[in-house]
Amino acid sequence: MGRFLMLVALVVAAATPALTLRLTGLQVGPIGETAAFGAAILAAGFLLSWGAEAAERHVSQGLIIAVVALVTVLPEYAVDLYYAYQAGKVGPGSEYVHYAAANMTGANRLLVGLAWPLLVAIHWARGAAARWN
């Protein structure tokens, strides 16, 4: 249990600079912000996966996968919802109409064109490795 708490503390420490930047409004430049928020996203991913593994004792695996999938795509849909709301508020001729369409099509291209084939490749590689052993 001590090792796990140490890992959780390390992950929380990795996310703290991004939280500090967001709450204080401090500007550290694009490289610093990219590093801080990238580390925070990675840390959140670790916490999410650890929580999902821990929840498997009490909740079905299918429900956990559905919740994790929803949590991972929710920020993208929140951005698109903002663009769609602004487009409706400003009017049909606004730039937000194009932003909403471009954001959703770009997100779906990444998901269908990169994420799903990557999952298939990983699954195939694991199966091939198991056959060789």
Side-chain angles (χ1 to χ4, degrees):
M1 189 67 166
R3 181 174 181 269
F4 177 70
L5 290 178
M6 183 179 70
L7 289 172
V8 170
L10 180 67
V11 167
V12 169
T16 301
L19 184 62
T20 303
L21 287 176
R22 179 60 67 197
L23 292 177
T24 63
L26 184 66
Q27 301 288 323
V28 294
I31 303 281
E33 289 178 0
T34 300
F37 289 109
I41 290 169
L42 190 62
F46 273 109
L47 287 175
L48 184 63
S49 67
W50 291 339
E53 285 180 23
E56 282 184 357
R57 292 180 179 229
H58 305 290
V59 182
S60 72
Q61 186 178 14
L63 179 61
I64 292 170
I65 290 172
V67 169
V68 168
L70 179 66
V71 167
T72 55
V73 298
L74 211 55
E76 190 64 40
Y77 288 124
V79 169
D80 202 49
L81 182 65
Y82 170 77
Y83 286 149
Y85 175 76
Q86 290 298 327
K89 191 167 113 177
V90 175
S94 76
E95 287 294 312
Y96 285 106
V97 173
H98 305 294
Y99 295 159
N103 184 57
M104 189 52 66
T105 57
N108 286 332
R109 283 182 189 163
L110 283 175
L111 180 65
V112 174
L114 182 67
W116 289 355
L118 182 63
L119 287 174
V120 169
I122 290 170
H123 181 70
W124 177 81
R126 285 186 64 200
R131 283 190 296 269
W132 285 100
N133 290 334

